[in-house]
Structures are given as C-alpha cells and as structure tokens.
Amino acid sequence: MDVDHVESDLVSVLFTEAQIQARLAELAREIEQDYEGKDLVIVGILRGAVMVMADLARALDRHVEMDWMAVSSYGSGTKSSGVVRILKDLDADISGRHVVIVDEIIDTGLTLSWLTSNLGSRNPASVEICTLLRKPEALTMPVEVKYVGWDIPNHFVVGYGLDFRERYRNLRDIATLAPHVYS
C-alpha cells in the first residue's frame, strides 16, 4: 500500500521504502561480518517483524536459518500491559548456535529484555538483537541492541509491519500516525 492511499491518517513519512531497503542492506553487511563462518539463526518476532525479517534475510549474502516467535505484551491497546506471553515458540533448537532476534521496533524494551533472557536460558552461543527502529525516550527496561536501523522520537508509527489494530502493516513506508486515528 502506498502513502497516498492513507495520507489523511498520517502526519509525516519518516522513512521511505528505498531508505528502509538501503538501511537493511547495511545491517546485513554488519551481520555477515560479525557472524562469518558461524552457525546463525535469525529469529523474527511475529507479526510486526515479518517485513524486516524477510528483507533482511534477502539482503544477507550467506545461508541463514530463519525461525519465528510470537510474543505479546500489548493485548488490544496501544500501551504495553507489562506481562509478556509466548504465543508461538521456536521450532529449532538454538543450543550452541548464534541467535539474532529481529524485530521492527523497540518501545519500552520490556518484551525484548524478557525475550533475550528467555532465549539466553536455552544455551545458545550468543543472543543479539537487530531492530529497524528504537524509541530511546520510551525505554523503561534496559536492553542491549547490537544492530539498530534508526532511533526515532516517541511517536506512534505505522507501516512496514508496524500496525494500529492490524491496519497499516502493508504500508511500504514508515510514517507517523495522526492522533485523530488512535485517540
């Protein structure tokens, strides 16, 4: 979906599809360099990270195993509930393997802090995080992030996997959602 289809719902475009693809290619080069010759599993966090995960994996010039988890700390609202639940666990055994968690955005840090700890307890060789977006002002829980696309202000953003009530995920760009939509 293009921005012009939902222009009245948006305040501004933060990143275009071309900018996103270029940044993911840069992150892929960093990951390739860091994990050269190592057994790597990238773990996408459903549903928001689907676009990021797919495009990051395609940008990698190496073999990589992909797996998925679904976790929730939001329920149906726009603020975190503070309780993290696993809705879908990994299919692969990550023991002794290098894991990069791929997510589309870090808000409070609660979910990824919990997830890093959970996966770390499964005896991997390492666990790192790659996120396209991070909101430093929104962080309430410390979380180490090795690969960050961009730091952004604490605004409600949609597109490229990011949603509001399951809408806007298929927007090609990342944009700030207008308050009249979610108020």
Side-chain angles (χ1 to χ4, degrees):
M1 176 170 54
D2 292 320
V3 168
D4 58 342
H5 291 105
V6 291
E7 198 167 16
S8 64
D9 292 352
L10 307 175
V11 175
S12 63
V13 172
L14 296 178
F15 305 104
T16 65
E17 180 179 21
Q19 290 172 308
I20 295 165
Q21 295 304 316
R23 186 64 183 120
L24 287 173
E26 292 169 358
L27 292 171
R29 299 299 76 79
E30 291 178 41
I31 291 168
E32 286 169 356
Q33 184 176 358
D34 291 347
Y35 293 96
E36 186 175 343
K38 296 178 180 171
D39 185 20
L40 178 63
V41 180
I42 57 175
V43 175
I45 307 304
L46 294 170
R47 285 177 267 205
V50 167
M51 312 304 190
V52 177
M53 179 83 155
D55 288 343
L56 178 67
R58 284 191 293 242
L60 290 167
D61 289 330
R62 59 160 291 161
H63 292 289
V64 64
E65 183 175 339
M66 298 168 62
D67 205 342
W68 298 92
M69 288 188 79
V71 295
S72 175
S73 66
Y74 281 87
S76 61
T78 60
K79 299 244 192 265
S80 176
S81 67
V83 176
V84 179
R85 298 179 305 138
I86 294 178
L87 306 175
K88 186 237 176 269
D89 208 343
L90 295 176
D91 293 324
D93 178 7
I94 60 170
S95 180
R97 303 177 77 188
H98 296 277
V99 176
V100 174
I101 300 167
V102 178
D103 209 355
E104 81 283 11
I105 192 166
I106 298 176
D107 271 316
T108 63
L110 172 70
T111 302
L112 281 173
S113 175
W114 182 89
L115 189 56
T116 302
S117 175
N118 180 285
L119 294 182
S121 72
R122 302 179 192 198
N123 301 313
S126 67
V127 176
E128 299 291 352
I129 297 171
C130 175
T131 187
L132 186 60
L133 304 173
R134 177 176 58 186
K135 295 181 180 179
E137 297 168 22
L139 286 172
T140 60
M141 181 76 77
V143 58
E144 286 280 326
V145 184
K146 188 165 187 176
Y147 309 100
V148 178
W150 294 283
D151 283 329
I152 63 169
N154 191 16
H155 298 297
F156 200 115
V157 292
V158 294
Y160 200 71
L162 296 151
D163 76 299
F164 174 64
R165 295 187 178 156
E166 296 304 321
R167 298 184 67 180
Y168 309 99
R169 281 194 200 276
N170 60 327
L171 184 63
R172 289 182 177 93
D173 303 324
I174 295 174
T176 305
L177 191 63
H180 76 267
V181 176
Y182 60 86
S183 305

